Amino acid sequence: MADNFLEKHYEEYEARKAAYLRKKKHLPKQHPRTVERPDDEAL
């Protein structure tokens, strides 16, 4: 194996992680969808 192999891959991982976190901050939060139920559930 080449010298600094793990260090290089870790640096690439950190860069991808930082880019993901920057992108994630700008996305709106997704809320679970609510199920619409009729007033009378016997129908």
Side-chain angles (χ1 to χ4, degrees):
M1 287 228 167
D3 292 342
N4 299 328
F5 175 81
L6 294 176
E7 289 83 359
K8 180 180 179 188
H9 281 274
Y10 185 73
E11 289 172 4
E12 291 173 358
Y13 159 76
E14 287 291 325
R16 287 193 314 268
K17 180 180 173 184
Y20 165 77
L21 291 176
R22 278 194 305 272
K23 182 180 178 184
K24 182 180 174 185
K25 284 184 179 181
H26 296 292
L27 295 177
K29 293 191 176 191
Q30 296 179 349
H31 298 285
R33 295 182 183 189
T34 57
V35 178
E36 295 182 18
R37 295 185 178 152
D39 294 336
D40 186 9
E41 292 187 11
L43 295 175

Coordinates of all heavy atoms in Angstrom, one line a residue:
M1 N 0.8 -1.2 0.0 CA 0.0 0.0 0.0 C 0.9 1.2 0.0 O 2.0 1.3 0.5 CB -0.9 0.0 1.3 CG -2.0 -0.9 1.3 SD -3.4 0.0 1.8 CE -4.7 -1.2 1.4
A2 N 0.3 2.3 -0.6 CA 1.1 3.5 -0.7 C 1.0 4.2 0.7 O 0.1 4.0 1.5 CB 0.5 4.4 -1.8
D3 N 2.0 5.0 0.9 CA 2.1 5.8 2.1 C 0.9 6.8 2.1 O 0.5 7.3 1.0 CB 3.4 6.6 2.2 CG 4.6 5.7 2.4 OD1 4.3 4.5 2.9 OD2 5.7 6.1 2.2
N4 N 0.4 7.1 3.3 CA -0.7 8.1 3.4 C -2.0 7.6 2.8 O -2.9 8.5 2.5 CB -0.3 9.5 3.0 CG 0.9 10.0 3.7 OD1 1.1 9.7 4.9 ND2 1.7 10.8 3.0
F5 N -2.2 6.4 2.5 CA -3.4 5.9 1.8 C -4.6 6.2 2.7 O -5.6 6.8 2.2 CB -3.3 4.4 1.5 CG -4.5 3.8 0.9 CD1 -4.8 3.9 -0.4 CD2 -5.4 3.1 1.7 CE1 -6.0 3.4 -0.9 CE2 -6.6 2.6 1.2 CZ -6.8 2.7 -0.1
L6 N -4.6 5.8 3.9 CA -5.7 6.0 4.8 C -6.0 7.5 5.1 O -7.1 7.9 5.1 CB -5.5 5.3 6.1 CG -5.5 3.8 6.0 CD1 -5.2 3.2 7.4 CD2 -6.8 3.2 5.5
E7 N -4.9 8.3 5.2 CA -5.0 9.7 5.4 C -5.7 10.4 4.3 O -6.6 11.2 4.4 CB -3.7 10.3 5.7 CG -3.1 10.0 7.0 CD -2.3 8.6 7.0 OE1 -2.3 8.0 6.0 OE2 -1.8 8.3 8.1
K8 N -5.3 10.0 3.0 CA -6.0 10.6 1.9 C -7.4 10.2 1.8 O -8.3 11.1 1.5 CB -5.2 10.1 0.6 CG -5.8 10.7 -0.7 CD -5.1 10.2 -1.9 CE -5.8 10.9 -3.1 NZ -5.2 10.3 -4.4
H9 N -7.8 9.0 2.0 CA -9.2 8.6 2.0 C -10.0 9.3 3.1 O -11.1 9.6 2.9 CB -9.3 7.1 2.0 CG -9.0 6.4 0.7 ND1 -10.0 6.3 -0.3 CD2 -7.9 5.9 0.2 CE1 -9.5 5.7 -1.3 NE2 -8.2 5.5 -1.1
Y10 N -9.4 9.4 4.2 CA -10.1 10.1 5.3 C -10.3 11.6 5.0 O -11.4 12.1 5.3 CB -9.3 10.0 6.6 CG -10.0 10.5 7.8 CD1 -11.1 9.9 8.3 CD2 -9.7 11.7 8.4 CE1 -11.8 10.4 9.4 CE2 -10.4 12.3 9.5 CZ -11.4 11.6 10.0 OH -12.1 12.1 11.0
E11 N -9.4 12.2 4.4 CA -9.6 13.6 3.9 C -10.7 13.7 2.9 O -11.5 14.6 3.0 CB -8.3 14.2 3.4 CG -7.2 14.4 4.4 CD -5.8 14.8 3.8 OE1 -5.7 14.9 2.6 OE2 -4.9 14.9 4.6
E12 N -10.7 12.8 2.0 CA -11.8 12.8 1.0 C -13.2 12.6 1.6 O -14.1 13.2 1.3 CB -11.6 11.7 -0.1 CG -10.4 12.0 -1.0 CD -10.1 10.8 -1.9 OE1 -10.7 9.8 -1.8 OE2 -9.1 11.0 -2.7
Y13 N -13.2 11.7 2.6 CA -14.4 11.4 3.4 C -14.9 12.7 4.1 O -16.0 13.0 4.1 CB -14.2 10.3 4.4 CG -15.2 10.3 5.5 CD1 -16.5 9.8 5.3 CD2 -14.8 10.7 6.8 CE1 -17.4 9.8 6.4 CE2 -15.7 10.7 7.8 CZ -17.0 10.3 7.6 OH -17.9 10.3 8.6
E14 N -13.9 13.4 4.8 CA -14.3 14.6 5.5 C -14.8 15.7 4.5 O -15.8 16.4 4.9 CB -13.0 15.1 6.2 CG -12.6 14.3 7.4 CD -13.6 14.5 8.6 OE1 -14.2 15.5 8.7 OE2 -13.9 13.4 9.3
A15 N -14.3 15.8 3.3 CA -14.7 16.7 2.4 C -16.2 16.4 1.9 O -17.0 17.3 1.8 CB -13.8 16.8 1.2
R16 N -16.4 15.1 1.6 CA -17.8 14.7 1.2 C -18.8 15.0 2.4 O -19.9 15.4 2.1 CB -17.8 13.2 0.9 CG -17.1 12.9 -0.4 CD -17.5 11.5 -0.9 NE -17.3 10.5 0.1 CZ -16.3 9.8 0.4 NH1 -15.2 10.0 -0.3 NH2 -16.3 8.9 1.3
K17 N -18.3 14.7 3.6 CA -19.2 14.9 4.7 C -19.5 16.3 4.9 O -20.7 16.7 5.2 CB -18.5 14.3 6.0 CG -19.3 14.4 7.3 CD -18.6 13.8 8.4 CE -19.3 14.1 9.7 NZ -18.5 13.6 10.9
A18 N -18.6 17.2 4.8 CA -18.8 18.6 5.0 C -19.7 19.2 3.9 O -20.6 19.9 4.2 CB -17.5 19.4 4.9
A19 N -19.6 18.7 2.6 CA -20.4 19.1 1.6 C -21.9 18.7 1.8 O -22.8 19.4 1.6 CB -19.9 18.6 0.2
Y20 N -22.0 17.4 2.3 CA -23.3 16.9 2.6 C -24.0 17.7 3.7 O -25.2 18.1 3.6 CB -23.2 15.4 3.0 CG -24.5 14.9 3.7 CD1 -25.6 14.6 3.0 CD2 -24.5 14.8 5.1 CE1 -26.7 14.1 3.6 CE2 -25.7 14.3 5.7 CZ -26.8 13.9 5.0 OH -27.9 13.5 5.6
L21 N -23.3 18.0 4.8 CA -23.8 18.8 5.9 C -24.2 20.2 5.4 O -25.2 20.7 5.9 CB -22.9 18.8 7.0 CG -22.7 17.5 7.7 CD1 -21.7 17.6 8.8 CD2 -24.0 16.9 8.3
R22 N -23.4 20.8 4.6 CA -23.7 22.2 4.1 C -25.0 22.1 3.3 O -25.9 23.0 3.4 CB -22.6 22.7 3.2 CG -21.5 23.3 4.0 CD -20.6 24.2 3.0 NE -20.1 23.4 1.9 CZ -19.0 22.7 1.9 NH1 -18.2 22.6 3.0 NH2 -18.6 22.0 0.8
K23 N -25.2 21.1 2.4 CA -26.4 21.0 1.6 C -27.6 20.7 2.5 O -28.7 21.2 2.3 CB -26.2 19.8 0.6 CG -27.3 19.7 -0.3 CD -27.1 18.5 -1.3 CE -28.3 18.3 -2.2 NZ -28.1 17.2 -3.1
K24 N -27.4 19.9 3.5 CA -28.5 19.5 4.4 C -29.1 20.6 5.1 O -30.3 20.7 5.4 CB -28.0 18.4 5.4 CG -29.0 17.9 6.3 CD -28.5 16.8 7.2 CE -29.5 16.4 8.2 NZ -28.9 15.5 9.2
K25 N -28.2 21.6 5.5 CA -28.7 22.7 6.3 C -29.7 23.6 5.5 O -30.5 24.3 6.1 CB -27.5 23.6 6.7 CG -26.7 23.0 7.9 CD -25.6 24.0 8.3 CE -24.9 23.4 9.5 NZ -23.8 24.3 9.9
H26 N -29.6 23.6 4.2 CA -30.4 24.5 3.3 C -31.7 23.8 2.9 O -32.5 24.4 2.3 CB -29.6 24.9 2.1 CG -28.5 25.8 2.5 ND1 -28.6 27.1 3.1 CD2 -27.1 25.6 2.4 CE1 -27.4 27.6 3.3 NE2 -26.5 26.7 2.9
L27 N -31.9 22.5 3.2 CA -33.1 21.8 2.8 C -34.2 22.1 3.9 O -33.9 22.1 5.1 CB -32.8 20.3 2.7 CG -31.9 19.9 1.6 CD1 -31.7 18.4 1.7 CD2 -32.4 20.3 0.3
P28 N -35.4 22.2 3.4 CA -36.5 22.3 4.4 C -36.7 21.0 5.1 O -36.5 19.9 4.6 CB -37.7 22.7 3.5 CG -37.4 22.2 2.2 CD -35.9 22.2 2.1
K29 N -37.2 21.1 6.4 CA -37.4 19.9 7.2 C -38.7 19.2 6.6 O -39.7 19.8 6.3 CB -37.6 20.2 8.6 CG -36.3 20.7 9.3 CD -36.4 20.8 10.7 CE -35.1 21.2 11.3 NZ -35.1 21.0 12.7
Q30 N -38.6 17.9 6.5 CA -39.7 17.1 6.1 C -40.5 16.6 7.2 O -39.9 16.0 8.1 CB -39.2 15.9 5.2 CG -38.6 16.4 3.9 CD -38.1 15.2 3.1 OE1 -38.1 14.1 3.6 NE2 -37.7 15.5 1.9
H31 N -41.8 16.8 7.2 CA -42.6 16.4 8.3 C -43.4 15.1 7.9 O -43.7 15.0 6.7 CB -43.7 17.5 8.7 CG -43.0 18.7 9.2 ND1 -42.4 18.8 10.4 CD2 -42.8 19.9 8.6 CE1 -41.9 20.0 10.6 NE2 -42.1 20.7 9.5
P32 N -43.6 14.2 8.7 CA -44.4 13.0 8.3 C -45.8 13.4 7.9 O -46.4 14.3 8.4 CB -44.5 12.2 9.6 CG -44.1 13.1 10.7 CD -43.3 14.2 10.2
R33 N -46.2 12.7 6.8 CA -47.5 13.0 6.3 C -48.6 12.6 7.2 O -48.6 11.5 7.8 CB -47.7 12.4 4.9 CG -46.7 12.9 3.9 CD -47.0 12.2 2.6 NE -45.9 12.7 1.6 CZ -46.0 12.4 0.4 NH1 -46.9 11.6 -0.1 NH2 -45.1 12.8 -0.4
T34 N -49.6 13.4 7.4 CA -50.7 13.1 8.2 C -51.8 12.4 7.4 O -52.0 12.8 6.2 CB -51.3 14.3 8.9 OG1 -51.7 15.3 7.9 CG2 -50.3 15.0 9.8
V35 N -52.5 11.5 8.0 CA -53.5 10.7 7.3 C -54.8 11.5 7.5 O -55.2 11.7 8.6 CB -53.6 9.3 7.8 CG1 -54.8 8.6 7.1 CG2 -52.3 8.6 7.6
E36 N -55.5 11.8 6.4 CA -56.7 12.5 6.5 C -57.8 11.5 6.7 O -58.0 10.6 5.9 CB -57.0 13.3 5.2 CG -56.0 14.5 5.1 CD -56.3 15.3 3.8 OE1 -57.4 15.2 3.3 OE2 -55.4 16.0 3.4
R37 N -58.6 11.6 7.8 CA -59.6 10.7 8.1 C -61.0 11.4 8.0 O -61.1 12.6 8.4 CB -59.4 10.1 9.5 CG -58.2 9.3 9.6 CD -58.1 8.6 11.0 NE -56.9 7.8 11.0 CZ -56.2 7.5 12.1 NH1 -56.6 8.0 13.3 NH2 -55.2 6.8 12.1
P38 N -62.0 10.7 7.6 CA -63.3 11.3 7.6 C -63.8 11.6 9.0 O -63.3 10.9 10.0 CB -64.2 10.3 6.8 CG -63.5 9.0 6.9 CD -62.0 9.4 7.0
D39 N -64.8 12.5 9.2 CA -65.3 12.8 10.5 C -65.9 11.5 11.1 O -65.8 11.2 12.3 CB -66.4 13.9 10.4 CG -65.7 15.2 10.0 OD1 -64.5 15.3 10.3 OD2 -66.4 16.1 9.5
D40 N -66.7 10.8 10.3 CA -67.3 9.6 10.8 C -66.5 8.4 10.2 O -66.6 8.0 9.1 CB -68.8 9.5 10.3 CG -69.5 8.3 10.9 OD1 -69.0 7.7 11.8 OD2 -70.7 8.1 10.4
E41 N -65.8 7.7 11.1 CA -64.9 6.6 10.7 C -65.7 5.3 10.3 O -65.2 4.4 9.8 CB -63.9 6.3 11.7 CG -62.9 7.4 11.8 CD -61.7 7.0 12.8 OE1 -61.6 5.8 13.1 OE2 -61.0 7.9 13.1
A42 N -67.1 5.3 10.6 CA -67.9 4.2 10.3 C -68.2 4.1 8.8 O -68.5 3.0 8.3 CB -69.2 4.2 11.0
L43 N -67.9 5.1 8.1 CA -68.2 5.1 6.6 C -67.2 4.3 5.9 O -66.3 4.1 5.7 CB -68.3 6.5 6.1 CG -69.4 7.4 6.6 CD1 -69.3 8.8 6.0 CD2 -70.8 6.8 6.1

